[in-house]
Amino acid sequence: MMATGTDEDMNPTRHVVLTGAPAGVGKTTLVHKVCQTLKQRGIRLQGFYTEEQRERGRRIGFDVVTLDGQRGKLARTSDGHNSGSRQQCSVGQYMVKVEDFERIALPALLLQKDESPVYVIDEIGKMEMFSRRFVKSVSDILASSNFTVFATIPIKRQNPIRFVEEVRNRKDVQLFEISKDNRDSVLDAIVETIETAHKRQRLN
């Protein structure tokens, strides 16, 4: 449910977050469409998205890709050849490549003192939580009065992820739950909400 005008005055939307189930509902595809529209409207974007990687039709993991084209591994299926304590982080069958993820994702989240980009973060999820530096970076951006975040998070589950729930429950977050039924029709509403929030931030 959308906030009332009085609620918006007290807790204006500063950030937009997408969630939805099942996996493959189209959140990342929608992120791409939103970013394309925002760019066409002259809004500067900074951040990253995740991209599924397949080999011979089988999903083998995920890459992290910045909006300017830098790419690194986020996770790969366990092949028995991983080494190093920081790489011994797993989610199901996937080994999370923390160092690769941080090398690509963290520079894309650096705070810009003289500019006010919209920070695109796809996603804030269980794999990304293995990086404390990532959590700190996202927290700093969300806490700043100068920036707008456009992010994705997992659907709420029985075993919630603490930081994800903190993001979900922020009073300055507008949450959109994406489904196969609404993923096309909700595009304009997401773009308008981000654009309004970004304009408000630039006036601060």
Side-chain angles (χ1 to χ4, degrees):
M1 182 176 67
M2 298 295 290
T4 66
T6 301
D7 290 338
E8 288 179 352
D9 291 339
M10 295 175 60
N11 299 297
T13 296
R14 292 174 49 218
H15 312 296
V16 173
V17 174
L18 309 185
T19 189
V25 73
K27 293 195 299 293
T28 295
T29 299
L30 185 55
V31 166
H32 283 294
K33 292 180 179 179
V34 170
C35 288
Q36 182 178 14
T37 303
L38 292 173
K39 286 180 180 179
Q40 291 171 350
R41 297 188 182 188
I43 296 177
R44 184 174 180 274
L45 306 175
Q46 182 173 324
F48 68 88
Y49 59 91
T50 54
E51 187 176 87
E52 183 182 82
Q53 296 299 300
R54 288 184 172 270
E55 188 175 273
R56 297 177 182 176
R58 182 177 67 92
R59 188 167 69 186
I60 61 170
F62 302 89
D63 279 1
V64 54
V65 186
T66 65
L67 298 187
D68 62 0
Q70 302 296 310
R71 179 184 294 269
K73 295 178 182 178
L74 169 60
R76 288 293 187 271
T77 50
S78 178
D79 57 10
H81 299 295
N82 296 294
S83 61
S85 60
R86 295 199 70 197
Q87 292 188 341
Q88 301 308 310
C89 305
S90 62
V91 176
Q93 63 178 322
Y94 300 104
M95 300 297 296
V96 180
K97 308 293 187 177
V98 179
E99 292 183 357
D100 278 358
F101 169 70
E102 290 183 340
R103 176 176 57 84
I104 298 299
L106 295 184
L109 300 181
L110 289 176
L111 295 177
Q112 302 295 326
K113 295 181 180 179
D114 299 325
E115 301 179 12
S116 296
V118 170
Y119 284 89
V120 179
I121 309 174
D122 173 34
E123 73 174 340
I124 304 170
K126 190 171 184 179
M127 290 183 179
E128 292 81 5
M129 291 303 97
F130 286 110
S131 171
R132 294 182 181 180
R133 295 172 63 196
F134 170 75
V135 173
K136 175 66 165 54
S137 293
V138 175
S139 297
D140 288 346
I141 297 171
L142 289 169
S144 173
S145 62
N146 298 322
F147 306 113
T148 295
V149 168
F150 174 40
T152 63
I153 60 174
I155 199 77
K156 191 171 184 177
R157 300 186 183 280
Q158 290 185 343
N159 297 314
I161 304 168
R162 179 177 176 180
F163 184 67
V164 171
E165 296 311 305
E166 289 176 2
V167 173
R168 189 193 314 274
N169 294 321
R170 288 180 62 97
K171 295 184 182 300
D172 57 0
V173 161
Q174 176 66 56
L175 186 70
F176 288 87
E177 186 165 337
I178 308 305
S179 68
K180 291 182 178 179
D181 293 331
N182 74 357
R183 62 188 179 189
D184 295 322
S185 61
V186 77
L187 173 64
D188 289 343
I190 294 171
V191 170
E192 294 301 328
T193 304
I194 295 172
E195 189 171 27
T196 299
H198 181 250
K199 288 179 178 177
R200 185 185 297 119
Q201 299 303 88
R202 295 185 66 182
L203 295 175
N204 289 338

